[in-house]
Amino acid sequence: MAAIGQIVARTPSGEVLSRAQQRAMLVPDCLVEARRIANTVISGWHGRRKRGIGENFWQFRPYSLGESMSRIDWRRSARDDHTYVRDREWEAAHTIWLWADLSPSMMYKSTLGQVSKESRALVLMLALAEILARSGERIGCPGVMEPVSARNAAERLATAIMLSPLAEGLPETGMIRGMSDLVLIGDFLDPADAVMERLGPVARRGLRGHVVEIADPAEEVFPYAGRTEFTDPETGEKLTAGRAEILREDYQRAYRARRDSLGDGLRHLGWTFIPHRTDRPASEALVAVHMYLSGMPSRATHGGLL
């Protein structure tokens, strides 16, 4: 039987950056702006204008009893019989921390997938940096790059990854302070309990998390048949099955149970869970993550895989 999958070489970060910028362009600017406009009428973080400390004028509104008289705009109030307060726009960028797991299992690519899991994870991370930087957000990568607010955040992140490669597994988050968002991208093939043991304390510190599970289609459908040799990319251990097809139902059942357990655990923490397959366009996962970051609901956790 011909090989269905293989372990690929790591993708050079410079090439990934180019693909990430192209991928970011697939999300039309009008869609990004439409979500920003929609957020002006709902509560949430950056992505909507709101009253606060800043230099730019936002709106006039009626004066409320108990407010400081110094905030009254007497010129506007003189136009009619009401007293008005001049509000300024809140000016505060949100901090989003991005992370892609580059464990050996992420190097896998089957003939059913478009790219390796590692390549897809890096493209998504850099594409998110590209789009979020356009919105004025502060972008950071735990242990690799301190948060920056710059239009070239994706380029700076790619450079930082080349100089200080991403570690394997989940990142250290002790440096993350305050109300921030953390986007984790990986295959999360470890037992769900082990993943939740790491993420639970992070969520209890007040961080808002978004987990993107990258899966190769072969990992889900198990297309193997006949005599097949399986190799664990993490340990190198091998398993030979005389008739791989007889394992399919048990494998699929265990795979779905792990994913369901992980998704339920994350949602219990108030985090979001977005499954994504490498045979689907990366733009689908990109749109889903951006909607969650904008405080808008997504169908990603309700309709199975994207």
Side-chain angles (χ1 to χ4, degrees):
M1 178 179 178
I4 289 178
Q6 62 179 327
I7 301 299
V8 302
R10 292 187 184 276
T11 304
S13 297
E15 295 179 13
V16 173
L17 173 60
S18 177
R19 292 205 306 276
Q21 291 174 325
Q22 295 176 359
R23 184 64 62 188
M25 293 174 62
L26 295 180
V27 182
D29 286 345
C30 61
L31 179 60
V32 176
E33 186 62 19
R35 293 195 182 114
R36 289 175 60 83
I37 294 173
N39 284 338
T40 62
V41 297
I42 60 174
S43 61
W45 55 267
H46 184 84
R48 74 177 184 93
R49 298 171 64 196
K50 58 183 178 181
R51 185 172 73 248
I53 300 173
E55 297 181 356
N56 297 326
F57 168 74
W58 179 28
Q59 67 175 3
F60 290 116
R61 63 174 177 80
Y63 169 79
S64 298
L65 185 63
E67 291 188 86
S68 173
M69 298 285 288
S70 64
R71 301 187 59 196
I72 296 177
D73 189 291
W74 296 107
R75 179 175 299 180
R76 174 65 182 86
S77 301
R79 297 179 189 173
D80 52 38
D81 297 329
H82 298 285
T83 303
Y84 291 93
V85 170
R86 183 185 184 91
D87 274 338
R88 294 174 180 174
E89 182 179 352
W90 179 272
E91 296 176 352
H94 198 70
T95 299
I96 296 107
W97 295 84
L98 306 176
W99 178 263
D101 176 20
L102 299 188
S103 297
S105 63
M106 292 291 290
M107 304 303 119
Y108 181 73
K109 176 188 178 300
S110 77
T111 56
L112 305 181
Q114 296 179 359
V115 294
S116 70
K117 295 186 291 181
E118 172 256 7
S119 177
R120 178 57 54 85
L122 283 174
V123 167
L124 284 175
M125 181 174 69
L126 293 172
L128 274 171
E130 180 79 10
I131 287 180
L132 293 169
R134 277 192 242 158
S135 300
E137 308 295 2
R138 301 175 70 240
I139 309 301
C141 184
V144 175
M145 186 180 79
E146 290 296 315
V148 297
S149 179
R151 294 281 293 184
N152 66 339
E155 287 87 346
R156 295 174 68 167
L157 178 55
T159 300
I161 293 173
M162 288 188 287
L163 297 176
S164 180
L166 293 166
E168 298 174 5
L170 295 173
E172 294 297 327
T173 60
M175 78 293 294
I176 303 179
R177 297 287 185 269
M179 299 298 292
S180 302
D181 279 75
L182 176 63
V183 180
L184 301 174
I185 307 172
D187 54 16
F188 301 96
L189 290 176
D190 289 331
D193 291 345
V195 176
M196 295 308 303
E197 186 175 350
R198 285 288 309 276
L199 297 183
V202 179
R204 287 189 284 274
R205 283 167 40 205
L207 298 183
R208 191 170 69 159
H210 313 273
V211 171
V212 183
E213 182 203 62
I214 306 295
D216 187 281
E219 294 176 324
E220 181 183 300
V221 302
F222 199 83
Y224 310 99
R227 184 177 178 82
T228 306
E229 181 181 82
F230 300 94
T231 303
D232 186 334
E234 306 283 343
T235 66
E237 295 183 5
K238 298 182 183 296
L239 170 67
T240 301
R243 295 177 57 199
E245 63 272 19
I246 67 175
L247 304 176
R248 185 172 297 124
E249 289 188 8
D250 288 341
Y251 170 88
Q252 291 176 335
R253 188 180 302 109
Y255 188 90
R256 287 193 297 266
R258 177 203 55 83
R259 171 179 286 160
D260 292 344
S261 179
L262 178 60
D264 290 344
L266 291 169
R267 285 186 282 270
H268 182 72
L269 293 178
W271 285 27
T272 58
F273 180 59
I274 304 170
H276 175 72
R277 282 188 1 183
T278 57
D279 60 341
R280 301 294 302 167
S283 56
E284 293 183 351
L286 187 61
V287 169
V289 176
H290 190 270
M291 289 181 70
Y292 279 129
L293 289 170
S294 301
M296 297 181 68
S298 170
R299 295 176 297 175
T301 57
H302 300 291
L305 282 172
L306 286 163

